[in-house]
Amino acid sequence: MTHLLDLDLVFVTGKGGVGKTTTAAALASVAAERGQRVLVCEMDAKGALATAFEVGELVFEPTEVAPGLHAMSMSTEDSLREYLRLFVKIPLIGRLGLLASTFDFVADAAPGVKEILAVGKLCWEVKERNYDLVVVDAEASGHVVSQIGAPRVIADLVQVGLVRDQTQWMLDILEDPKRTGVVVVTTAEEMPVTESIELLERLRAETGSHPAAVIANRVLPAMFDRAEQPVARRVRSAMNVLVDEVGPGAPAVVEAASIIESRRAIGAEHLDRLRSAVGDLDRSGSTRGRSEELPIFTVSELFSRAHGHRVVTLVAEALDEEIG
């Protein structure tokens, strides 16, 4: 199996709120720490990636945020300007003016036009070998299929000519499992796991791209191992003894531990459901077209919903160990 960090292009997606941006930033950080030249790109331009690295506003021009690690924010207008300069040989200065208005009209009428400019920029960086790895903080799972699938949509609409040629080299990159992969981020909860399973089923069929890994974020560690669980149950049943022997605060501590363990057990059931679904997809080949099992990495809950560079560093350390 191609190692996750040996890919050229990695899209990171997941249901909103599962830690997608933090995971993308952490994955890029791991690659940079291992000596790779890395570009990480935020697709929705909401500023979350800048917050993750605790830097100023990111723009279309990549900014070095750590040694070997560059970050940028996608802009379709800047991408269009770069496309026209590179492929149509039109030197553009400043805003696009009338051309931008015309482009917006065409983009609103034709599916996939804005998306293909964004994805095309990323594929271009891969094609030119400007970076060893491009990590994409992609759209959330509800929109990522149309984002990654834009070149295929355009290719199906246009069978010959320049546009077809421009999309074909993108498809050659996007549909090669040795070059491009999709990382699906989830948490050990019912809705994120369900949405992740549905996304895995859609990716291969609708985009031609291949899932590369699933990362389960904020997984609660076990409070008690198998041998300790019967003891914990006996302790919970002897609250009065705890008060007399240990103190009035003991029952609260035991109750808190019990609640956490209950949450962890429920989360473990959801992760088991995810593993089972991934195993079924691997065996059917419906999403991957490869015989290897899709790896599922887990990151223990560090801070519930915190953000910032410290959290990115902690997640990066966990992923570095998980990925191996």
Side-chain angles (χ1 to χ4, degrees):
M1 179 179 125
T2 302
H3 192 282
L4 181 59
L5 298 183
D6 289 336
L7 295 168
D8 299 324
L9 177 60
V10 174
F11 291 89
V12 181
T13 185
K15 180 178 171 60
V18 299
K20 171 178 66 68
T21 298
T22 297
T23 302
L27 193 62
S29 298
V30 170
E33 285 289 332
R34 296 189 183 195
Q36 292 181 270
R37 181 172 167 81
V38 184
L39 173 67
V40 57
C41 175
E42 179 181 60
M43 295 298 273
D44 59 15
K46 291 181 179 178
L49 192 62
T51 300
F53 288 114
E54 296 180 358
V55 296
E57 181 182 3
L58 295 173
V59 295
F60 188 73
E61 184 68 24
T63 300
E64 189 169 26
V65 296
L69 176 56
H70 294 74
M72 64 170 285
S73 179
M74 182 55 65
S75 163
T76 52
E77 182 174 319
D78 286 331
S79 186
L80 174 60
R81 182 185 291 109
E82 184 173 88
Y83 173 83
L84 293 173
R85 177 175 59 82
L86 290 172
F87 294 101
V88 190
K89 309 302 181 184
I90 299 177
L92 294 170
I93 301 176
R95 294 185 60 83
L96 298 176
L98 178 62
L99 186 57
S101 300
T102 304
F103 165 73
D104 285 337
F105 177 80
V106 173
D108 290 337
V113 174
K114 287 186 177 180
E115 289 85 354
I116 201 171
L117 276 173
V119 173
K121 161 64 175 175
L122 302 168
C123 289
W124 174 256
E125 296 294 342
V126 171
K127 183 173 183 287
E128 293 298 296
R129 301 286 183 182
N130 293 325
Y131 300 91
D132 300 313
L133 175 65
V134 177
V135 178
V136 186
D137 179 17
E139 296 281 2
S141 52
H143 304 283
V144 73
V145 169
S146 60
Q147 187 176 71
I148 301 176
R152 178 180 274 195
V153 171
I154 298 297
D156 290 341
L157 289 174
V158 183
Q159 298 298 316
V160 294
L162 178 62
V163 173
R164 173 72 181 193
D165 293 340
Q166 289 299 317
T167 56
Q168 187 56 54
W169 66 265
M170 295 182 204
L171 291 174
D172 291 342
I173 293 173
L174 292 170
E175 297 184 358
D176 185 348
K178 293 183 179 179
R179 304 190 72 183
T180 299
V182 181
V183 171
V184 178
V185 183
T186 187
T187 52
E189 301 169 282
E190 182 177 4
M191 286 304 298
V193 166
T194 298
E195 197 164 306
S196 297
I197 293 170
E198 292 172 352
L199 175 60
L200 290 168
E201 291 172 343
R202 293 182 60 194
L203 275 171
R204 169 80 172 161
E206 298 182 34
T207 70
S209 296
H210 299 261
V214 175
I215 295 177
N217 195 21
R218 306 189 194 119
V219 177
L220 286 168
M223 295 293 294
F224 314 110
D225 61 27
R226 184 171 297 180
E228 293 169 338
Q229 288 174 3
V231 178
R233 286 194 293 269
R234 289 198 296 273
V235 168
R236 285 197 296 270
S237 66
M239 289 294 189
N240 293 333
V241 175
L242 281 176
V243 173
D244 295 337
E245 298 295 330
V246 181
V253 173
V254 173
E255 185 63 26
S258 300
I259 292 172
I260 293 173
E261 180 61 18
S262 177
R263 283 185 55 206
R264 185 209 63 79
I266 293 171
E269 291 177 1
H270 290 308
L271 289 182
D272 286 343
R273 180 164 62 92
L274 176 62
R275 292 187 183 95
S276 177
V278 166
D280 291 341
L281 291 171
D282 285 341
R283 285 188 291 273
S284 69
S286 60
T287 63
R288 308 192 68 216
R290 295 179 291 178
S291 60
E292 305 89 351
E293 291 185 1
L294 183 67
I296 300 177
F297 304 124
T298 59
V299 177
S300 294
E301 181 158 343
L302 304 167
F303 299 99
S304 180
R305 291 183 181 271
H307 305 282
H309 189 252
R310 173 164 172 75
V311 179
V312 170
T313 300
L314 291 171
V315 173
E317 290 173 356
L319 282 178
D320 189 32
E321 184 175 342
E322 281 280 301
I323 292 171

